[in-house]
Amino acid sequence: MTSRPPRPRERGIPEATVARLPVYLRALQALQDRGTATVSSEGLAGAAGVNSAKLRKDLSHLGSYGTRGVGYEVEYLIYQISRELGLTQDWSVAIVGIGNLGRALANYGGFGTRGFRIAALLDADPEVVGRTVASLDVRHIDSLEEVVRSRGVSIGVIATSAGSAQGVASRFVEAGVTSILNFAPVVLNVPDGVDVRKVDLSIELQILAFHAQRRADGDGRANRAGLEVT
């Protein structure tokens, strides 16, 4: 059996708070890199892009309330959040689909410093299988179950086409993987107890376009109002 990252929400932490914890962690790590030992709730909230009341409430779920007049100890808060997110141990990751996106993910150096180890790369394309990417030999997708078992894969990453994604997800689940990160533009059907996080770049771009359009419309209305006044 493979293990999976713990679910903070099972210990009473709201899902919205869980989603913000990685943002706080990134901000804290940047502060630590600059040699900052303590940070106020206002300072950390500003770095994370949230209001300070929301941040204090989020961190209270971890049992961290800071010290009046001093704030939060950066190093200890990093440890608390990392522990809550399950990042104080090494999580083995397998990526399926070694196209442009899969190669980029495999070569990203930030995973290793955040508790994730890319343990296996798999693809179905004979032109890709056998190549070395990020110091790993790309295995054929037919070996997925054996790779999951032998390398203790806890998290499966799907970077395939939409048409292949469901089949890959089902094989991950059958192999015992219960945490999946999906980059394919399709909704996956998985059993209860399997966590799927979907990353859809086109949706994110559409949301950005919506906000850009609203700003443009607002500027247009303001300009028209200015012309009417003059």
Side-chain angles (χ1 to χ4, degrees):
M1 289 293 292
T2 54
S3 57
R4 65 179 178 183
R7 300 179 183 180
R9 62 183 177 275
E10 291 177 350
R11 294 191 289 276
I13 300 181
E15 193 70 44
T17 296
V18 175
R20 287 188 290 269
L21 291 180
V23 180
Y24 301 152
L25 183 59
R26 182 175 58 194
L28 286 161
Q29 288 168 334
L31 290 168
Q32 187 179 53
D33 290 343
R34 295 198 295 268
T36 303
T38 60
V39 61
S40 67
S41 59
E42 290 79 8
L44 181 54
V50 301
N51 66 64
S52 57
K54 180 178 292 183
L55 178 135
R56 286 192 295 270
K57 184 175 181 180
D58 286 342
L59 296 183
S60 71
H61 290 293
L62 280 61
S64 186
Y65 299 93
T67 303
R68 184 178 297 277
V70 176
Y72 297 93
E73 184 181 341
V74 170
E75 183 176 4
Y76 183 63
L77 192 51
I78 286 175
Y79 166 74
Q80 281 188 301
I81 295 176
S82 298
R83 180 186 61 189
E84 199 65 44
L85 291 173
L87 305 182
T88 53
Q89 56 184 301
D90 185 38
W91 296 104
S92 181
V93 178
I95 301 174
V96 177
I98 313 304
N100 292 332
L101 176 58
R103 287 197 299 272
L105 293 169
N107 281 292
Y108 175 58
F111 291 132
T113 61
R114 289 169 171 81
F116 303 97
R117 173 175 54 87
I118 305 301
L121 307 176
L122 302 105
D123 203 287
D125 186 347
E127 297 296 320
V128 176
V129 174
R131 292 187 178 184
T132 300
V133 176
S135 301
L136 288 171
D137 292 337
V138 179
R139 302 276 300 271
H140 195 278
I141 187 64
D142 287 349
S143 65
L144 184 147
E145 289 80 5
E146 185 273 326
V147 165
V148 167
R149 182 177 61 256
S150 64
R151 302 193 181 181
V153 172
S154 302
I155 300 172
V157 176
I158 298 175
T160 67
S161 65
S164 302
Q166 181 61 58
V168 173
S170 297
R171 290 183 64 181
F172 268 135
V173 172
E174 286 296 319
V177 175
T178 53
S179 298
I180 296 173
L181 180 62
N182 177 34
F183 285 91
V186 63
V187 176
L188 299 177
N189 294 312
V190 298
D192 291 342
V194 176
D195 293 320
V196 175
R197 298 290 297 181
K198 188 175 188 303
V199 181
D200 193 321
L201 301 180
S202 66
I203 288 178
E204 299 303 323
L205 287 171
Q206 289 169 28
I207 292 171
L208 287 173
F210 167 78
H211 289 295
Q213 183 62 50
R214 290 194 66 178
R215 284 194 297 272
D217 289 345
D219 290 343
R221 285 193 296 270
N223 289 336
R224 288 193 295 273
L227 288 172
E228 291 169 1
V229 168
T230 56

